[in-house]
Amino acid sequence: MVNIVDSEYKLNRIQTHLVADYWDLVNPYIKDALEYEDVAITPWDVFLDVKEGRKQLWIITKGQEIYSVIVTHIEEIYKKKKLIFRYCAGHDIKEWFYMITKFFDYAKKNECVGILVYGRRGWQKLLATSGFQEKATIFSLEF
């Protein structure tokens, strides 16, 4: 596990070989995040993606309590790498949201030119406080 600590909250990246050890703790958060997903992805799919190194699993904690679970991946888009926030669930986001800047260093270290966040429209106002801009809206029709 890789820890990034500030005075209260801790951002923990769970290494691939430790994912199974943490899965029972993070699985409910993953399920919550997937409720808004438009494809038939399951928590097991996310587990395999993280376990096999295609995605990264992050946990924000304060003491022993989990405040958020975040799943990211790095994707090359038109020859430019971006860190993608794909799934995020938790509570009390306004308390720990400043920790998002810790991801900036991770993205730069991995030669990313930016960060993309997939999320509901409710994230817009909070993300804007860290410089994010809305670039697109996705529409869906299910049969």
Side-chain angles (χ1 to χ4, degrees), residues 2-142:
V2 175
N3 295 321
I4 301 171
V5 184
D6 79 347
S7 60
E8 279 192 275
Y9 293 91
K10 194 185 295 185
L11 174 63
N12 309 285
R13 179 172 173 222
I14 309 304
Q15 301 299 313
T16 56
H17 68 281
L18 296 174
V19 171
D21 296 339
Y22 285 85
W23 194 250
D24 287 341
L25 295 171
V26 303
N27 191 34
Y29 293 90
I30 300 296
K31 285 181 182 177
D32 287 349
L34 292 178
E35 283 185 33
Y36 301 99
E37 191 57 36
D38 194 36
V39 294
I41 190 168
T42 67
W44 181 248
D45 296 323
V46 175
F47 172 83
L48 292 175
D49 280 343
V50 173
K51 180 84 173 132
E52 295 170 8
R54 290 185 295 273
K55 290 186 171 43
Q56 301 85 41
L57 176 64
W58 306 83
I59 303 173
I60 294 178
T61 59
K62 181 178 177 184
Q64 298 296 314
E65 185 177 355
I66 294 175
Y67 276 71
S68 182
V69 172
I70 302 164
V71 176
T72 64
H73 69 277
I74 295 173
E75 186 174 325
E76 190 169 310
I77 303 170
Y78 300 112
K79 299 183 182 180
K80 294 182 179 181
K81 287 167 58 173
K82 299 250 180 157
L83 179 64
I84 312 293
F85 277 64
R86 195 63 186 102
Y87 311 112
C88 179
H91 59 90
D92 298 317
I93 188 171
K94 290 180 181 176
E95 289 185 27
W96 58 261
F97 184 75
Y98 68 93
M99 294 287 288
I100 198 163
T101 60
K102 307 293 184 191
F103 287 97
F104 298 177
D105 292 335
Y106 176 80
K108 290 174 186 174
K109 182 178 173 184
N110 285 278
E111 302 174 347
C112 295
V113 298
I115 296 174
L116 293 177
V117 177
Y118 287 87
R120 293 175 288 124
R121 185 149 269 167
W123 283 85
Q124 182 181 17
K125 193 173 189 178
L126 195 56
L127 287 166
T129 65
S130 290
F132 287 85
Q133 299 174 0
E134 183 176 2
K135 295 289 185 177
T137 301
I138 298 172
F139 299 90
S140 174
L141 174 65
E142 295 184 27

